[in-house]
Amino acid sequence: MAPLTYVSTRGAAPELGFSDVLLAGLAIDGGLYVPSEWPSLTVGSLERFASMSYAEIAVEVMWPFVEGSFDHDTFEAIVSDAYATFATEEVVPLVDLGDNFWLAELFHGPTLAFKDIALQLVGRLFDDELTRRGEKVTIVGATSGDTGSAAIEALRDRPTAEVFILHPAGRVSDVQRRQMTTVLAPNVHNIAVEGTFDDCQDMVKALFADKNFRESRNLSAVNSINWARVMAQMVYYVTSAVRLGGGAGRPVAFSVPTGNFGNVFAGYGAQRMGTPISQFIVASNRNDILTQFLTTGTMTIGEVQPTLSPSMDIQVSSNLERLLFEIHGRDGAAIAELMDRFRSEGTVSVDSDRLDLLSEHWAASRVDDAQTAATISGLYEQTGMLIDPHTAVGLAAARAARTDPSVPMVVLATAHPAKFPDGVEAATGVRPPLPEHLSDLFDRPEKFDVCPNDFETVRGAIEATLDHG
Ligand SMILES: *Cc1c(COP(=O)(O)O)cnc(C)c1O
């Protein structure tokens, strides 16, 4: 079989192989790359997975996507190395909550949020590919908290990348800031911008729009629209389903705390490959544009509202475009038109027969901060377990939107409670301690530059660092 290729959701970019998609991120027509077809897990493979480790299953699930770009032994070694950084042998343990509710703990990676699962792999794939090409890139990213630290941990000390992460000064939590600024690797550069997250993001966009800067500095990104991140996230849907009887064809449901839609779209991919998933619950906080879309077919951008679950405080969910592409029969021109209209008018609707394609498997639920806090405290009183506010949104949504109690409901636990200790403490009176490997986080020295909220100054600081180290 010829290696899989990738097409853009807007239909007007060249079809590429995996390694080019990995390094490109966004397609040149503004679309997102998706596989030209969905491979199937061979008959019997789900059954076989029951006795395999996370890394072994990961290699089998992802191999059809990377074949042709990596040789099998190299890929196997990279996967095994990526998941050896996790604090538990299972990588993503399942915890029984009773009543056929389960938590899939995605937070045992180095920075305590689920982004590590994709980025620990993607950082290594980047490094391997760039080494083979003899190239070096400048990675620039903006973060409101979780992505920055996960990207830094994934790329620290790699000679193929200089990493610049912009965060809004004083607007990320102390744990989040220290997870970034205490990494003293020579290729890691933190910039605290005296502005908001949106200011940081605008600066990153402006750097990419600056053709001269982009080309002379070989600019690249590892943001959530990168296909390789979605690919890596498909694996835990498969492993969780298999552990709950999926190998014998028993269906499983997932509730997913959702922001940019990358996580839940990975679940869709796992389902398309043959994993028996009967329901996806898209869990939103007060920023409920996705709940509106899935229940009415219309999306309208509003103001971002701060909540207890900041990593889901998003209005435009970039990865939704991948699902829209699927429900429009992979018509790239239709998606290009739809996204243009959304951008210019701030609102867009899809036909009801398109939306009907989602009615069988998709549900959505909105959870406000009061319900989030009550869910954290309720679970703590019942079981003694602490969960973080993002996970609590997922659990509350699962309870509200579950259709069949005989189907195991897996709630994706996207962050460790110690990553968001204030919300957890306010709900329960208990401050969750950091795990062992981060217990001295508050004693470690920090290194970062503070920059005024001014594009030229920030670009100048990056250039000076690149030129003089
Ligand atoms: C990024 C993040 C999310 C949102 O995931 P998406 O893939 O953007 O939908 C949810 N919870 C936590 C803790 C996160 O860091």
Side-chain angles (χ1 to χ4, degrees):
M1 220 177 73
L4 199 61
T5 54
Y6 292 84
V7 296
S8 164
T9 50
R10 300 194 190 173
E15 226 171 293
L16 300 179
F18 177 79
S19 57
D20 289 324
V21 165
L22 171 74
L23 298 182
L26 202 68
I28 53 164
D29 59 0
L32 280 62
Y33 276 108
V34 289
S36 57
E37 60 186 305
W38 291 102
S40 310
L41 292 165
T42 54
V43 181
S45 50
L46 287 171
E47 232 170 318
R48 262 188 317 112
F49 288 172
S51 59
M52 287 162 56
S53 73
Y54 186 93
E56 287 168 340
I57 298 171
V59 171
E60 287 216 19
V61 170
M62 294 188 285
W63 179 246
F65 295 102
V66 304
E67 191 175 5
S69 289
F70 286 83
D71 76 69
H72 197 271
D73 285 353
T74 307
F75 186 63
E76 209 174 320
I78 289 175
V79 170
S80 145
D81 197 43
Y83 296 112
T85 64
F86 281 60
T88 62
E89 208 174 312
E90 299 137 285
V91 182
V92 176
L94 275 180
V95 176
D96 188 350
L97 293 182
D99 297 328
N100 222 2
F101 280 93
W102 302 78
L103 275 189
E105 294 184 341
L106 306 180
F107 54 70
H108 293 287
T111 72
L112 311 182
F114 91 98
K115 309 255 182 335
D116 287 327
I117 295 181
L119 283 167
Q120 282 296 314
L121 180 71
V122 171
R124 285 170 172 80
L125 294 177
F126 249 72
D127 192 47
D128 192 81
E129 184 62 32
L130 290 167
T131 303
R132 256 183 298 154
R133 294 183 183 203
E135 287 178 21
K136 180 169 179 169
V137 292
T138 303
I139 301 269
V140 186
T143 187
S144 57
D146 293 344
T147 307
S149 57
I152 287 170
E153 279 298 336
L155 294 163
R156 61 185 294 175
D157 296 311
R158 297 193 186 279
T160 47
E162 287 295 322
V163 183
F164 294 85
I165 300 294
L166 278 51
H167 72 264
R171 292 175 197 247
V172 299
S173 77
D174 290 347
V175 173
Q176 287 177 321
R177 187 191 70 249
R178 286 183 158 273
Q179 282 184 322
M180 298 190 281
T181 59
T182 60
V183 175
L184 304 178
N187 68 328
V188 168
H189 314 282
N190 282 287
I191 300 178
V193 175
E194 292 173 321
T196 65
F197 167 64
D198 287 336
D199 295 328
C200 296
Q201 193 147 43
D202 287 346
M203 286 186 192
V204 170
K205 282 186 191 151
L207 287 170
F208 275 89
D210 179 342
K211 189 159 179 280
N212 183 30
F213 185 84
R214 186 179 72 226
E215 287 174 0
S216 64
R217 304 301 183 169
N218 213 2
L219 219 53
S220 189
V222 289
N223 50 21
S224 83
I225 50 92
N226 195 302
W227 163 257
R229 286 181 60 175
V230 174
M231 173 187 79
Q233 291 167 3
M234 294 187 354
V235 175
Y236 48 78
Y237 287 89
V238 178
T239 60
S240 302
V242 164
R243 302 270 181 270
L244 294 167
R250 271 179 52 195
V252 179
F254 287 91
S255 179
V256 188
T258 298
N260 240 327
F261 210 77
N263 198 353
V264 71
F265 184 78
Y268 171 84
Q271 186 193 42
R272 286 294 299 265
M273 287 180 77
T275 313
I277 300 173
S278 59
Q279 194 186 20
F280 293 108
I281 296 173
V282 176
S284 322
N285 61 27
R286 270 175 60 203
N287 298 289
D288 63 347
I289 185 167
L290 286 170
T291 305
Q292 277 176 34
F293 173 69
L294 288 165
T295 48
T296 67
T298 299
M299 289 194 283
T300 305
I301 301 186
E303 284 272 297
V304 177
Q305 315 216 24
T307 70
L308 289 174
S309 43
S311 301
M312 295 156 63
D313 292 348
I314 282 175
Q315 284 289 335
V316 180
S317 300
S318 327
N319 279 289
L320 181 66
E321 183 167 336
R322 291 190 159 111
L323 186 66
L324 293 173
F325 181 67
E326 297 287 352
I327 65 171
H328 285 80
R330 302 198 136 212
D331 179 349
I335 297 304
E337 202 254 329
L338 197 85
M339 298 313 295
D340 279 349
R341 208 159 0 114
F342 186 47
R343 183 151 301 262
S344 61
E345 292 167 20
T347 182
V348 78
S349 301
V350 304
D351 297 340
S352 62
D353 54 334
R354 303 285 178 201
L355 201 65
D356 286 349
L357 297 172
L358 300 177
S359 60
E360 188 186 347
H361 295 297
W362 291 74
S365 190
R366 166 197 200 268
V367 178
D368 67 19
D369 275 357
Q371 288 168 283
T372 304
T375 304
I376 296 172
S377 63
L379 188 72
Y380 179 64
E381 278 157 27
Q382 254 182 330
T383 67
M385 266 182 76
L386 296 173
I387 53 172
D388 105 287
H390 303 78
T391 306
V393 170
L395 178 56
R399 288 174 175 154
R402 167 196 229 184
T403 45
D404 183 350
S406 74
V407 172
M409 170 61 69
V410 180
V411 176
L412 297 186
T414 51
H416 190 290
K419 188 141 193 179
F420 297 94
D422 297 338
V424 177
E425 186 175 18
T428 61
V430 181
R431 195 160 181 91
L434 283 163
E436 185 98 51
H437 70 99
L438 286 169
S439 56
D440 64 342
L441 185 68
F442 282 82
D443 305 322
R444 298 178 191 172
E446 289 187 84
K447 183 184 127 214
F448 63 101
D449 290 321
V450 181
C451 268
N453 187 9
D454 174 66
F455 176 64
E456 297 299 332
T457 311
V458 170
R459 184 176 53 190
I462 293 174
E463 289 195 305
T465 305
L466 287 172
D467 292 338
H468 310 295

